[in-house]
Amino acid sequence: MPELPEVEVSRLGITPLTQGQTVNKIVIRQTQLRWPVPDTIHQAVGQPILSIERRAKYLLLRLATGTILVHLGMSGSLRVLAANTPFSKHDHVDLHFDNQTLLRYNDPRRFGCWLWFDKNVTIPLLDKLGPEPLSDEFSAEYMLTLASKRKVSVKQFIMQNAVVVGVGNIYASESLYNAHIHPLRQAHTLSKQEWVELVNQIKIVLQSAITQGGTTLNDFKQPNGKPGYFAQQLNVYGKANAPCPSCGDAIQSKVIGQRNTFWCDRCQQ
DNA sequence: CTAGAGGCCTGCCCGC
DNA sequence: TGCGGGCAGGCCTCTA
């Protein structure tokens, strides 16, 4: 479910409701997420949430003595609810606040994580991440240089977090389609001008997806409970054999690097 | 170093 | 109606 736009939508949704609130209890019903939820996370109790940041697809709840790091995995979502709201299936973690609300984490597949890192300790998961896609650091010059000797497909290349973060499977296919670049091209074969176009389309696709509240395919919900609306603007993702919106040829699909990929053979070179 | 594959989980959809 | 198989938005980790 969540790619970068969905994580950012979640951050924007929960921030006004949780920033400044003091944690008074943490309830963990399922510790077995991607990694076990550590006992040290209870150090957050008694402290206010100072801010909620996002790095790649990680949410960072900043407190005075450390950081709660949350990843939504494939199927995680966050809601802010009244403290007495009954929990349901797959509601694994609740952060209770002094004002009788809670931040609730639901994650059927449990590929997400909740971790605690003491202040002044480096967070290994954030160590090797490439630039944020919506920052100026993510540029055509940067990609041209980095890709110079890379033989992997451009589609896999842009999905590598060490290259650039936050480009997940949906938006990789969409960006390549919009940039008229074939997903199976080796990364090093793209020209400067093609990187200009691809970088630009990645930024446009991600930013507009954020504006639309993310992409809901099955079950993604914004923190307000509403679905995202970007799915209505997808051109190729999930549309194998449907007509290309531009030329009408059948959309192709193939598993590339173990992820399904969609493109138009005529429009993408 | 790079590239490719496995694995973590549950839910859903499809075909029989 | 039930059941098995395949697939799904991420990404760390292992192998070659």
Side-chain angles (χ1 to χ4, degrees):
Chain A
M1 153 204 320
E3 298 198 23
L4 184 141
E6 292 72 39
V7 178
E8 182 65 7
V9 165
S10 297
R11 189 185 72 83
L12 293 170
I14 67 173
T15 293
L17 301 172
T18 58
Q19 189 170 25
Q21 299 301 326
T22 296
V23 178
N24 65 18
K25 184 172 59 171
I26 301 177
V27 176
I28 302 164
R29 296 182 200 84
Q30 171 60 271
T31 60
Q32 296 306 304
L33 304 182
R34 182 184 183 103
W35 300 287
V37 181
D39 287 338
T40 51
I41 200 167
H42 293 286
Q43 292 176 40
V45 173
Q47 301 186 57
I49 307 285
L50 301 177
S51 64
I52 301 178
E53 299 165 25
R54 179 187 60 73
R55 175 72 174 107
K57 295 171 191 168
Y58 298 100
L59 288 172
L60 307 168
L61 281 55
R62 301 292 195 184
L63 299 92
T65 69
T67 297
I68 296 174
L69 179 145
V70 177
H71 197 292
L72 303 179
M74 293 272 255
S75 56
S77 61
L78 295 168
R79 300 288 304 275
V80 178
L81 301 163
N84 60 3
T85 308
F87 65 85
S88 45
K89 201 173 185 183
H90 306 307
D91 284 342
H92 303 314
V93 180
D94 290 341
L95 271 195
H96 285 256
F97 300 114
D98 272 351
N99 70 347
Q100 299 306 304
T101 66
L102 55 75
L103 176 66
R104 176 162 286 167
Y105 174 71
N106 180 284
D107 185 4
R109 291 177 69 180
R110 289 193 263 140
F111 283 2
C113 67
W114 277 66
L115 299 172
W116 170 265
F117 292 95
D118 286 332
K119 190 181 182 180
N120 301 328
V121 163
T122 60
I123 301 178
L125 293 167
L126 307 183
D127 255 2
K128 296 169 293 183
L129 296 177
E132 287 288 323
L134 297 176
S135 72
D136 291 341
E137 198 184 339
F138 178 56
S139 66
E141 292 81 1
Y142 165 79
M143 293 298 275
L144 184 68
T145 304
L146 203 62
S148 65
K149 291 175 181 173
R150 300 295 301 275
K151 295 181 178 176
V152 278
S153 72
V154 60
K155 196 262 190 172
Q156 291 172 84
F157 188 69
I158 62 174
M159 287 184 66
Q160 291 175 6
N161 282 334
V163 173
V164 58
V165 302
V167 183
N169 202 36
I170 297 177
Y171 301 116
S173 281
E174 292 297 313
S175 302
L176 286 160
Y177 173 81
N178 293 346
H180 309 292
I181 294 169
H182 198 290
L184 284 168
R185 289 266 302 279
Q186 289 188 316
H188 71 89
T189 67
L190 269 68
S191 69
K192 173 74 179 296
Q193 191 51 46
E194 286 174 321
W195 278 121
V196 168
E197 190 58 28
L198 181 52
V199 165
N200 191 37
Q201 288 300 334
I202 288 171
K203 291 174 189 280
I204 289 172
V205 166
L206 292 178
Q207 185 56 62
S208 53
I210 292 170
T211 306
Q212 307 271 326
T215 298
T216 295
L217 293 183
N218 286 319
D219 51 2
F220 175 70
K221 293 288 194 302
Q222 303 183 56
N224 61 13
K226 295 178 181 172
Y229 299 104
F230 191 76
Q232 297 157 21
Q233 294 183 28
L234 296 178
N235 287 311
V236 291
Y237 185 85
K239 298 184 187 297
N241 300 317
C244 164
S246 177
C247 77
D249 277 13
I251 298 295
Q252 308 293 302
S253 75
K254 181 186 176 187
V255 175
I256 300 176
Q258 297 162 290
R259 310 302 298 277
N260 212 348
T261 306
F262 302 86
W263 74 93
C264 172
D265 255 341
R266 186 196 294 257
C267 295
Q268 293 173 258
Q269 304 298 318

